[in-house]
Amino acid sequence: MDEKSEIFDIVNDSDKVIGSASRNEVHKRGLKHRSVHLLIFNKQGSVLLQKRSMEKDTFPGSWDSSVSGHVDSGENYDEAIIRESWEELGVKFEGVPEKVFKVDACKETDNEFSWVYRHFSEGPFSPSEDEISEIKWFSTEILDDYNLRDSTVFSPAFSLIWSKLMKDPENDSNTQIL
């Protein structure tokens, strides 16, 4: 689907659907909506990240989660992660990947409530050229070093998700860990 014609559910502070609007209107007005993120790890413990296409309307050229995408209107989080994984990386799931935690809508997520999922795979992957300019494995040590030195390399949502994944979840009230 063309980004310009995408329709998202608008949600309230409790993540309950209260309406719908076009992608453009949701982003332009800063309305709360929904997204999903998938972190794919390999046997060495590295995480696969995507470099967002320069054509993206938000954070072009930034490194982001293995898969990151919006939840379409009428879709739930689990349906969205299965669809987005196929569209962005050619990863086909028979079931829902492991749910790790949920992040409340905030500035870093661009007002998106976001469920974060985890999966273990060595590939192969088929990145969508429309959405992704590059994919690359990053070790946790390198990611932690990058975040300390230059967090602008990564999308704000990924930086937030990574920091929440790496610290004790009980210290953060905005994250629900399963």
Side-chain angles (χ1 to χ4, degrees):
M1 180 184 297
D2 182 351
E3 283 186 358
K4 292 178 179 21
S5 62
E6 287 179 303
I7 303 294
F8 300 152
D9 286 334
I10 302 165
V11 296
N12 64 16
D13 292 339
S14 301
D15 194 18
K16 302 291 183 224
V17 176
I18 58 171
S20 62
S22 69
R23 173 192 185 105
N24 187 42
E25 183 179 352
V26 166
H27 284 178
K28 186 176 177 180
R29 293 180 50 204
L31 301 171
K32 289 186 170 87
H33 56 298
R34 296 172 168 167
S35 70
V36 291
H37 289 260
L38 176 68
L39 299 175
I40 298 176
F41 291 88
N42 65 16
K43 291 177 186 170
Q44 292 76 34
S46 295
V47 63
L48 182 72
L49 297 185
Q50 63 163 284
K51 191 169 193 179
R52 296 172 61 84
S53 163
M54 292 304 289
E55 305 305 313
K56 298 298 281 181
D57 62 343
T58 57
F59 312 109
S62 296
W63 287 100
D64 206 351
S65 302
S66 310
V67 171
S68 67
H70 288 99
V71 177
D72 289 339
S73 182
E75 193 175 44
N76 67 41
Y77 288 103
D78 292 348
E79 292 166 338
I81 197 62
I82 290 169
R83 176 185 50 77
E84 287 286 348
S85 297
W86 175 250
E87 288 176 4
E88 290 190 1
L89 286 180
V91 174
K92 186 170 177 98
F93 286 113
E94 297 300 322
V96 179
E98 176 191 3
K99 274 183 159 173
V100 185
F101 58 83
K102 184 178 182 184
V103 178
D104 287 343
C106 61
K107 177 183 160 195
E108 292 85 358
T109 64
D110 204 19
N111 266 342
E112 297 168 355
F113 284 92
S114 301
W115 264 105
V116 179
Y117 298 76
R118 176 173 35 210
H119 182 65
F120 297 89
S121 177
E122 304 295 318
F125 305 107
S126 302
S128 166
E129 292 178 11
D130 293 338
E131 301 202 30
I132 300 170
S133 64
E134 181 181 351
I135 58 174
K136 181 177 170 182
W137 293 104
F138 287 81
S139 71
T140 57
E141 296 82 14
I142 287 178
L143 281 177
D144 291 341
D145 189 40
Y146 267 119
N147 277 327
L148 291 173
R149 287 188 287 122
D150 186 8
S151 63
T152 61
V153 171
F154 302 97
S155 74
F158 175 75
S159 294
L160 175 67
I161 288 166
W162 190 255
S163 70
K164 289 181 181 301
L165 187 67
M166 294 293 109
K167 72 178 191 176
D168 182 357
E170 293 181 359
N171 293 332
D172 191 322
S173 61
N174 288 335
T175 305
Q176 303 166 10
I177 301 286
L178 289 182

